[in-house]
Amino acid sequence: RLIVVSNRLPLSRVVNVEDGTNEFVMSSGGLVTALSGVQNELDFIWIGWLGCEITLEEQPAVREKLLKDYNCLPVFLSDEIVTKYYSGFCNGVLWPLFHYVPLPMYKAGGERKFDTDQWEAYQTANQLFADAVVSIFNPKTDLIWVHDYHLMSLPAELRLRKPKCKIAWYLHTPFPTSEIYRILPVRKELLEGLLKADLVGFQTYDYARHFLSACSRVLEVEATPKGIEYNNHYCAIGVYPIGVDAEHIAKVCATPSVLSRVKELMVKFSGRKVLLGVDRLDYIKGMPHKLLGLELFLSHHPEWRGYVTLIQIGVPTREDVDEYQKLGEQVNELVGRINGTYGTLEYSPIHYINQSVPQNELFAIYKLADVCLVTSVRDGMNLVSHEFVVAQDTNNGAEGREDGPGVLILSEFAGSAQSLSGAIRVNPWNTEEVATAIQTALTLSPLEKEIRQTKLFRYVSTHTAGFWAALFMSEFRDVILTKRSTVKLPHLNISRVVSAYEKAKNRLIISDYDGTLTKIQTLPQLAQPANALVEILRSLSTDPRNTVFIMSGRERRFLESWLGKLRIGLAAEYGYYHRMPDETEWQCTGEEVELSWKELVKPVMKYFTERTPGTYIESRESSLAWHYKDADPHFGAWQAKDMQISMEDVLSNYPLEIIQGNHNVEVRHRSVSKSHVLQKALAHLSTPESIAAHGGNEIDFIFCVGDDRSDEDMFQYLSTWKENLESDSEKAATASPPCLPNMFNVHIGNDPSSHATSYVDSTFELRRVLRAFSSVSKKDSDLRYLGVDKTSN
């Protein structure tokens, strides 16, 4: 079963004036028509708001009637919530922003600030929608399809209530560029809400690309054209342009009433070319741009005066909003000015219809028109263009026109412009271009018109509303069936690892520093550990059963300053320098490493630093690192790849490796790695003296944790080391083979490509694990103080 969730239900309430009972009338919107295409394959129930407030007493009866008679489940919203959620946040913030109208600038004494009450109402409304879905949800059979910007938080709300539910979300409007989207104060929360869906769909590739860019910049996540993995959940991304019901339009256009009306209109407009505009009276539809283009056309081409008429249908909408009232006034002024300048007693250049038009009348005008003008300044798709193409198809009776089918002039900022290649595309902001397009459309030869119409109709007749719904549902099923397994690494079983820690008698704890024990910082000076972390490490290091090693890419002077007073092993610059737990002197593992290569690498890094704002070079004794965490994420990553290619050419004959780390590029000698220090640590703990110091116990617990590629060396080395131990154990034909250590290779974050055996979500979760270790060690210390030797148990 398919659960369709949209802001409005596809029906309206009508109160019977005689007995006061509720009656409901189904509407025939585009979404209703589109979903009828999958109605034969799937049962579906529609969830949404009725468009009016229903009293508490009426709600049970209304809910029952709608479920029984219309297969609809109403979400009951109070007028107060609707005012803030729908009129305020949806129509006052998201709608303008998604159509490239930014939040208002500051005006002294009259500024409009972001209203947090509206945002809270938006969240409340989404929660109410989620409650409604959950009330009928069947996890075994149900798919959930959420529609449009009104319900961007709904996927997260549903995932919170039903973690295994299957959710798709589709946006019917444009999605703006990240530069526009990032204006929104709640930008992160909305993106995080959407990424809880399994599939997110858009009208065009541009909108999907903008969404991916916004995610990578706002959430600092790596985005691919196919999808985004965020917080251990994979969200697929797809492009599904919507269409119209071409078969229905063709049938209506062939009815006697429409054909009769076309003949009447042809007589009325005999001897004139008819231009057509069909728009809601909305600032995104570009009606003033169209009128200014016509005005310029009539000015430049006086020969067309008296022979061209624009029928402009402007359907009123949101008449209580100031911006729309002003737009209506502007359109009326332009119509009056053009008719006053170029009209005569017998002729008006513009016939302006400021009301909705019945379907049959509209289709008759579509068939009549010689040119359809769509000049949207920003539009999700604009299906007027599709309807015009179907109505103009020669198979629907237009073959009688000697001058060929009508021509479509289409704004390049409408989503349909990417699909309808047979249209004359224009920039509506360029009035000269619009005027020229009108002249071109009116003077095309019949053959050129036929060629354009054939291309247009081929697309529109195949990419219908039903095709769109069927394609989306097919992809939705595929996403569910072939869902990427993002949890290739199991989550660390904390109770198990703490239990193993508690039983162990000779423990080795190895941890990376940046990105593991602390968050990654742009400057080394900012990476100093918090006092709480130092105390945890102190507690662990004072436990005689523990050997603690901290491996870092930082220079030894920083590690010495921060952690030098603790009884722990330290490795600086990925193991170039190291110090054992009971030593004070640093040893260099790469004394014979040649460092003259730095003179070749520095100029390359300097070149990219000068050209990439927000980057810097960190020069260490054994390596060079180029950091781009503070740069533009896309540009920084692009420059990092370009830098690597440049350096590979320069350093091809040197024993060096170029490592793409976490927002950095590092060049170091191949002989330097954390695994070399780890090898020495294991050898040190395996000596008879070390085993004796641990009560005759060999290493029986290893906990290794890291977050990036430099830590993979350690994970791989430990895995091989344990495999060798197991192999030796099998070969040893002794009555009591040696006990193998409990080993935990842990990655920060769920990276499926890691050689770790499990993961924790963040540095904070790792801190909780280490704190649990510390508590066990303190308890053991207290027992030893009281004279209880737990090792004898």
Side-chain angles (χ1 to χ4, degrees), residues 250-292:
K251 283 180 180 177
V252 174
C253 287
T255 56
S257 59
V258 171
L259 294 174
S260 172
R261 182 58 177 154
V262 172
K263 288 180 181 177
E264 291 174 13
L265 292 172
M266 289 180 75
V267 171
K268 179 176 176 59
F269 292 97
S270 176
R272 280 186 258 171
K273 294 288 186 180
V274 176
L275 312 181
L276 174 62
V278 181
D279 306 286
R280 280 187 300 105
L281 198 54
D282 194 310
Y283 49 79
I284 70 161
K285 296 297 183 180
M287 281 176 61
H289 303 70
K290 183 186 307 178
L291 297 173
L292 290 170

Side-chain angles (χ1 to χ4, degrees), residues 575-578 587-595 621-622 669 671-673 676 680:
Y576 185 77
Y577 292 106
H578 71 275
Q587 298 178 42
C588 180
T589 55
E591 290 177 352
E592 298 178 1
V593 172
E594 173 63 47
L595 299 176
E621 291 184 56
S622 66
H669 202 280
S671 66
V672 176
S673 77
H676 293 160
K680 289 190 176 185

Side-chain angles (χ1 to χ4, degrees), residues 494-507 509 540 543 545-546 700-702 742 744 769 772-780 783-784 790-793:
I494 296 177
S495 60
R496 179 171 169 259
V497 71
V498 173
S499 175
Y501 178 89
E502 193 170 12
K503 295 172 184 174
K505 300 175 179 66
N506 188 354
R507 313 180 187 110
I509 299 171
L540 294 175
D543 187 333
R545 301 183 188 190
N546 291 347
D700 56 358
F701 177 91
I702 298 175
N742 281 308
F744 303 89
V769 175
F773 289 172
S774 175
S775 297
V776 172
S777 292
K778 284 179 180 177
K779 186 171 70 173
D780 290 351
L783 289 173
R784 285 193 299 272
K790 199 176 174 188
T791 61
S792 63
N793 292 344

Side-chain angles (χ1 to χ4, degrees), residues 22 87 127 131 211 384 393 398 412 444 498 589 637 649 730:
N22 287 314
S87 304
Q127 289 161 6
D131 292 340
F211 176 75
V384 166
D393 179 47
E412 64 187 63
L444 281 177
V498 173
T589 55
D649 294 337
E730 290 171 3

Side-chain angles (χ1 to χ4, degrees), residues 681-715:
L682 288 169
H684 174 73
L685 290 173
S686 301
T687 60
E689 295 81 9
S690 177
I691 292 172
H694 289 88
N697 298 296
E698 295 185 357
I699 302 170
D700 56 358
F701 177 91
I702 298 175
F703 184 83
C704 180
V705 59
D707 76 306
D708 65 14
R709 184 181 160 186
S710 67
D711 303 307
E712 296 300 313
D713 294 338
M714 296 194 297
F715 297 150

Side-chain angles (χ1 to χ4, degrees), residues 278-474:
V278 181
D279 306 286
R280 280 187 300 105
L281 198 54
D282 194 310
Y283 49 79
I284 70 161
K285 296 297 183 180
M287 281 176 61
H289 303 70
K290 183 186 307 178
L291 297 173
L292 290 170
L294 176 66
E295 184 179 41
L296 189 62
F297 166 76
L298 292 172
S299 171
H300 286 179
H301 299 279
E303 70 276 11
W304 281 106
R305 297 173 193 171
Y307 297 101
V308 170
T309 295
L310 169 66
I311 300 174
Q312 176 61 58
I313 299 170
V315 181
T317 181
R318 302 178 191 171
E319 295 173 272
D320 55 335
V321 180
D322 287 344
E323 286 89 340
Y324 288 82
Q325 292 172 1
K326 290 175 183 176
L327 175 65
E329 292 170 5
Q330 183 187 10
V331 168
N332 287 332
E333 288 174 8
L334 283 170
V335 170
R337 186 175 83 195
I338 295 168
N339 281 342
T341 304
Y342 299 105
T344 64
L345 193 60
E346 297 85 13
Y347 163 71
S348 293
I350 302 171
H351 284 228
Y352 181 41
I353 305 169
N354 190 206
Q355 59 185 335
S356 59
V357 174
Q359 185 185 75
N360 284 15
E361 180 79 356
L362 177 62
F363 287 176
I365 300 172
Y366 277 148
K367 288 180 67 64
L368 170 75
D370 297 283
V371 179
C372 180
L373 272 165
V374 177
T375 54
S376 308
V377 294
R378 193 66 59 177
D379 219 343
M381 181 54 64
N382 193 291
L383 296 179
V384 166
S385 53
H386 290 236
E387 292 173 349
F388 172 76
V389 169
V390 177
Q392 283 289 326
D393 179 47
T394 53
N395 294 327
N396 286 339
E399 68 272 14
R401 291 173 54 160
E402 295 178 0
D403 57 350
V407 180
L408 176 63
I409 297 176
L410 183 58
S411 165
E412 64 187 63
F413 300 117
S416 53
Q418 294 192 13
S419 309
L420 302 181
S421 57
I424 298 174
R425 296 193 184 102
V426 294
N427 175 1
W429 300 95
N430 186 338
T431 308
E432 186 76 44
E433 190 175 313
V434 175
T436 303
I438 294 172
Q439 167 67 6
T440 302
L442 292 174
T443 55
L444 281 177
S445 69
L447 178 60
E448 288 176 296
K449 291 180 181 180
E450 288 284 0
I451 292 170
R452 286 180 177 272
Q453 172 65 17
T454 301
K455 289 173 70 177
L456 291 168
F457 186 72
R458 185 190 303 130
Y459 178 86
V460 172
S461 60
T462 53
H463 292 75
T464 61
F467 173 82
W468 164 77
L471 175 64
F472 189 92
M473 288 308 302
S474 173

Side-chain angles (χ1 to χ4, degrees), residues 574 605 624-626 628 640 643-644 647-648 656-670 672-673 708-711 713:
Y574 301 103
M605 287 189 170
L624 286 172
W626 184 75
Y628 60 92
M643 176 193 288
Q644 181 168 353
M647 288 194 295
E648 282 171 350
L656 303 171
E657 58 181 348
I658 304 165
I659 299 173
Q660 290 276 358
N662 198 339
H663 293 98
N664 67 65
V665 179
E666 182 151 5
V667 182
R668 70 185 189 201
H669 202 280
R670 282 179 190 157
V672 176
S673 77
D708 65 14
R709 184 181 160 186
S710 67
D711 303 307
D713 294 338

